Amino acid sequence: MASFTNSFVVFSIFSLLACSINAQLSPNFYASSCPNVQNIVRVEMVQAVIGEPRMGASILRLFFHDCFVNGCDASILLDDTATFTGEKNALPNQNSVRGFEVIDTIKTRVEAACNATVSCADILALAARDGVVQLGGPSWTVSLGRRDARTASQSAANNEIPSPLASLSALISGFAAKGLNARDMTALSGSHTIGQAQCFTFRSRIYNDTNIDPNFAATRRSTCPVSGGNSNLAPLDIRTMNRFDNIYYQNLMTRRGLLHSDQELFNGGSQDALVRTYNANNALFFRDFAAAMVKMSNISPLTGTNGEIRSNCRVVN
């Protein structure tokens, strides 16, 4: 009896290990079922970024906002319906996140090559990487095998996506809640070396903050008035907005971070030394950014039989 019990326990352990291994993401997940998927995504992202360089930043932000809400499950791509409330109209996303049409185009191409095989979540993860690469940033290995959520959470999007008004302590704790440490947070914030922000996200910084270069504040006030003009855009990196590099950190050191949350990384706090390091060592920033992206892309993925493979990224099957 004892022998049977021991054998059963060993079998159960191996079964659990096998399930765990099967549920893990892998760079080779589509090696046989859709071997050309990475090339398809890359080609479409090249075209998207050539057509509009800002799109690289937009897709990266789309992925970030997806992963911070119940994991990297493509929930952010779901449209609202009469009976379903998604994340697109949450406060951090409404009239702000963009790039959905690019993901739709990629999904159409992938479906034509491998029907009902590749998830929207995996497409978004690959597209975010390829957009960064097209703008001169680092590459990293994207593990695959995510499945798509059948639901979304507007309340989680409202509460868990970091605010542009956040303090350093709030940023550190918010990222920690997702399994990302302070170094990951500071490296991932370097994504603000590309892209643009709307006036309403930085108005309080340019009119109320004191740790800001006066000439920089004056420049930004010229297109972001005290009232009105909420959707007017300004580059997050005033020098190389379409180039993925470490100039963002130099901007922080000269008090030219656009968002309050940006400047919090260099304001006499715990991340000052790392900001100086990234400013001096672009290669290290690239390595840390890539590593942090890998960690972020592994936040609570749906795998195995959880979720589904959507045929249309905007609606559940």
Side-chain angles (χ1 to χ4, degrees):
M1 179 66 179
S3 176
F4 171 80
T5 301
N6 290 338
S7 297
F8 179 77
V9 169
V10 171
F11 175 77
S12 298
I13 291 172
F14 276 113
S15 297
L16 288 171
L17 286 172
C19 290
S20 176
I21 292 169
N22 288 338
Q24 297 303 306
L25 305 181
S26 165
N28 302 313
F29 188 83
Y30 299 112
S32 57
S33 60
C34 195
N36 201 35
V37 61
Q38 297 213 36
N39 187 56
I40 295 171
V41 175
R42 185 179 302 109
V43 168
E44 292 302 325
M45 281 305 297
V46 168
Q47 293 304 310
V49 173
I50 288 174
E52 184 188 3
R54 183 187 172 200
M55 191 53 68
S58 296
I59 295 294
L60 178 60
R61 183 168 182 260
L62 191 61
F63 183 52
F64 177 86
H65 282 212
D66 181 45
C67 291
F68 259 63
V69 181
N70 298 331
C72 309
D73 59 4
S75 58
I76 197 170
L77 304 180
L78 291 169
D79 285 341
D80 287 358
T81 69
T83 57
F84 174 82
T85 300
E87 297 163 18
K88 289 184 176 179
N89 287 307
L91 292 176
N93 297 333
Q94 189 176 39
N95 300 318
S96 174
V97 288
R98 57 198 299 274
F100 299 108
E101 295 79 9
V102 172
I103 300 302
D104 291 342
T105 298
I106 297 172
K107 178 64 171 176
T108 299
R109 302 283 187 272
V110 171
E111 284 294 304
C114 325
N115 180 253
T117 302
V118 180
S119 68
C120 300
D122 278 345
I123 287 172
L124 184 53
L126 289 168
R129 188 267 315 271
D130 293 344
V132 168
V133 171
Q134 286 306 305
L135 294 175
S139 185
W140 57 91
T141 299
V142 177
S143 291
L144 303 165
R146 299 169 192 78
R147 289 167 65 85
D148 298 323
R150 294 190 178 98
T151 187
S153 176
Q154 188 173 108
S155 61
N158 281 327
N159 294 317
E160 297 176 20
I161 294 173
S163 166
L165 306 177
S167 66
L168 179 59
S169 60
L171 290 169
I172 291 173
S173 62
F175 277 72
K178 305 300 177 182
L180 300 166
N181 61 35
R183 190 181 186 96
D184 298 325
M185 181 272 293
T186 299
L188 289 171
S189 295
S191 63
H192 287 179
T193 188
I194 54 176
Q196 301 183 66
Q198 296 185 71
C199 169
F200 77 91
T201 66
F202 60 85
R203 177 180 284 117
S204 63
R205 165 125 175 92
I206 61 175
Y207 287 101
N208 300 325
D209 285 3
T210 56
N211 59 342
I212 187 169
D213 175 74
N215 292 329
F216 176 72
T219 298
R220 293 281 65 92
R221 288 171 183 168
S222 67
T223 55
C224 182
V226 174
S227 61
N230 282 352
S231 61
N232 292 351
L233 296 172
L236 286 157
D237 174 357
I238 194 171
R239 294 175 59 191
T240 56
M241 63 178 287
N242 291 324
R243 180 75 182 173
F244 197 100
D245 53 30
N246 64 339
I247 297 296
Y248 167 80
Y249 299 102
Q250 186 176 120
N251 293 335
L252 299 185
M253 291 174 62
T254 54
R255 300 187 302 164
R256 292 186 294 175
L258 182 62
L259 306 179
H260 177 86
S261 57
D262 287 327
Q263 198 61 54
E264 282 288 285
L265 303 183
F266 192 83
N267 193 35
S270 63
Q271 299 308 293
D272 283 19
L274 186 55
V275 168
R276 289 191 183 96
T277 298
Y278 287 156
N279 174 62
N281 192 334
N282 188 67
L284 178 62
F285 162 52
F286 274 24
R287 286 196 297 271
D288 282 3
F289 180 84
M293 284 298 298
V294 170
K295 286 179 68 174
M296 189 183 78
S297 67
N298 289 334
I299 297 175
S300 305
L302 297 173
T303 58
T305 57
N306 295 317
E308 63 183 16
I309 305 298
R310 287 185 222 139
S311 57
N312 179 340
C313 292
R314 294 174 178 266
V315 296
V316 297
N317 292 340

